[in-house]
């Protein structure tokens, strides 16, 4: 599903990613963890084609994204990827329903198609009652669920999330995490989640440990550890 080979990225003299190789299977829920500054967000932005690597290749859903023009890339993102950020980034002047519909409009769906899909997602998120509320009238957990619905509206194969539960309390956090697994089970989506939340990381199928721009190892849900265990244990 996602194939990453030899990704490097520097900002000026700072080498942020020093050669990342990673394969993620369809329907896998993968977490990326590591200290602040390790390069997690940079890697996620590159996987999400929001930033370009200095070298290396990325294939997503069978498409070599490094070969796409800027216009083709934005279409690719709209159709294949969904993004969830730490702070929901909903548009304040639009209702929950409208926020969810926007990516569907961009993809060329009609108003009635987009509305039907957005309502289906709101229902799935138990948010039908809140459809006509603006973000300021929603709780933190509700806003984040709307953001997840917006990410899903075009049936993307891959959801990329950067600290999705970072701004939520324990209960909302647990609900959001459960939602990711429900979505995977129901729609077969692939999730790549950057997180500092150990509880979330433990529940994902596989955790990638990033440090100083390199993958120093990975752990799987059943506790198998590969590569450099000592270093992972320190984090
Ligand atoms: N656009 C940029 N220009 C210059 N430096 C950058 C830029 N983006 C990130 N960096 C630097 O690259 C390094 C990695 O940043 P990144 O945001 O990927 O870290 P992170 O692992 O997501 O950290 P955190 O857990 O704090 O979010 C940091 O030292 C950061 O300051
Ligand atoms: Mg980050």
């Amino acid at each position: 599903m996602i194939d990453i080979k030899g990704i490097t990225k520097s900002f000026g003299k700072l080498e942020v990613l020093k050669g990342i190789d990673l394969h993620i299977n369809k329907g896998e829920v993968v977490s990326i963890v590591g200290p602040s500054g390790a390069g997690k967000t940079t890697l996620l932005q590159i996987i999400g084609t929001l930033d370009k690597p200095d070298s290396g290749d990325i294939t997503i859903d069978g498409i070599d994204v490094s070969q796409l023009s800027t216009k083709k890339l934005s279409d690719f993102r709209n159709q294949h990827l969904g993004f969830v950020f730490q702070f929901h980034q909903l548009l304040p002047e639009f209702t929950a329903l409208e926020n969810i519909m926007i990516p569907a409009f961009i993809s060329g769906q009609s108003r009635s198609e987009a509305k039907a899909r957005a309502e289906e997602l709101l229902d799935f998120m138990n948010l039908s009652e809140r459809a006509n509320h603006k973000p300021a009238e929603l709780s933190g957990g509700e806003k984040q669920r709307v953001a997840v619905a917006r990410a899903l509206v075009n049936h993307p194969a891959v959801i990329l999330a950067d600290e999705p539960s970072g701004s939520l309390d324990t209960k909302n956090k647990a609900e959001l995490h459960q939602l990711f697994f429900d979505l995977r089970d129901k729609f077969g989506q692939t999730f790549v989640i950057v997180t500092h939340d150990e509880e979330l990381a433990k529940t994902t199928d596989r955790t990638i440990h990033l440090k100083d721009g390199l993958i120093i190892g990975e752990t799987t849900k059943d506790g198998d550890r590969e590569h450099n265990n000592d270093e992972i244990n320190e984090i």
Side-chain angles (χ1 to χ4, degrees):
M1 164 55 63
I2 303 178
D3 223 349
I4 298 170
K5 287 205 190 78
I7 294 296
T8 66
K9 177 76 178 176
S10 296
F11 294 111
K13 282 193 184 149
L14 183 69
E15 265 188 284
V16 177
L17 298 176
K18 300 174 180 165
I20 302 286
D21 296 304
L22 183 59
H23 180 80
I24 296 172
N25 295 316
K26 178 166 166 43
E28 218 184 346
V29 179
V30 171
S31 51
I32 300 178
V33 301
S36 182
K40 304 181 298 295
T41 294
T42 307
L43 178 59
L44 200 74
Q45 298 265 329
I46 289 176
I47 298 174
T49 74
L50 295 166
D51 203 352
K52 278 193 184 300
D54 298 332
S55 61
D57 295 305
I58 304 182
T59 306
I60 301 173
D61 226 358
I63 297 166
D64 179 353
V65 295
S66 38
Q67 301 299 321
L68 298 179
S69 64
T70 310
K71 164 76 178 103
K72 286 236 168 84
L73 263 185
S74 60
D75 290 346
F76 175 83
R77 271 196 296 276
N78 179 256
Q79 285 152 27
H80 296 259
L81 306 177
F83 294 89
V84 182
F85 302 97
Q86 178 172 2
F87 301 102
H88 56 86
Q89 299 190 346
L90 299 174
L91 298 173
E93 64 272 36
F94 293 98
T95 65
L97 185 76
E98 289 163 346
N99 265 285
I100 299 169
M101 287 165 70
I102 290 168
F105 284 147
I106 295 171
S107 80
Q109 285 184 45
S110 69
R111 189 175 169 80
S112 59
E113 279 173 317
K115 187 157 180 275
R117 170 73 177 148
E119 281 171 346
E120 179 194 8
L121 285 165
L122 278 170
D123 186 42
F124 187 78
M125 307 281 163
N126 280 326
L127 282 173
S128 298
E129 312 265 294
R130 319 297 291 163
N132 297 317
H133 291 263
K134 293 188 175 168
E137 300 158 353
L138 300 172
S139 75
E142 287 169 346
K143 280 192 275 239
Q144 207 53 324
R145 268 150 49 219
V146 172
V148 174
R150 178 186 54 183
L152 291 167
V153 74
N154 289 335
H155 304 276
V158 180
I159 303 285
L160 301 171
D162 197 351
E163 301 280 352
S165 53
S167 63
L168 300 180
D169 65 21
T170 314
K171 178 171 173 284
N172 280 306
K173 207 180 261 198
E175 281 177 10
L176 184 73
H177 296 168
Q178 188 54 49
L179 177 63
F180 292 151
F181 291 99
D182 292 348
L183 288 166
R184 184 267 299 273
D185 295 344
K186 188 156 183 218
F187 302 113
Q189 256 129 2
T190 306
F191 283 81
V192 186
I193 308 170
V194 166
T195 186
H196 281 116
D197 190 313
E198 280 191 28
E199 290 305 310
L200 170 58
K202 267 192 233 157
T203 59
T204 60
D205 301 327
R206 189 154 57 109
T207 302
I208 307 297
H209 299 260
L210 200 67
K211 191 181 178 194
D212 295 333
L214 285 170
I215 293 176
I216 57 164
E218 59 179 57
T219 48
T220 49
K221 193 160 55 182
D222 48 24
D224 288 346
R225 288 172 180 261
E226 289 172 24
H227 311 302
N228 192 338
N229 293 344
D230 293 342
E231 214 171 345
I232 294 173
N233 288 332
E234 278 170 23
I235 294 175

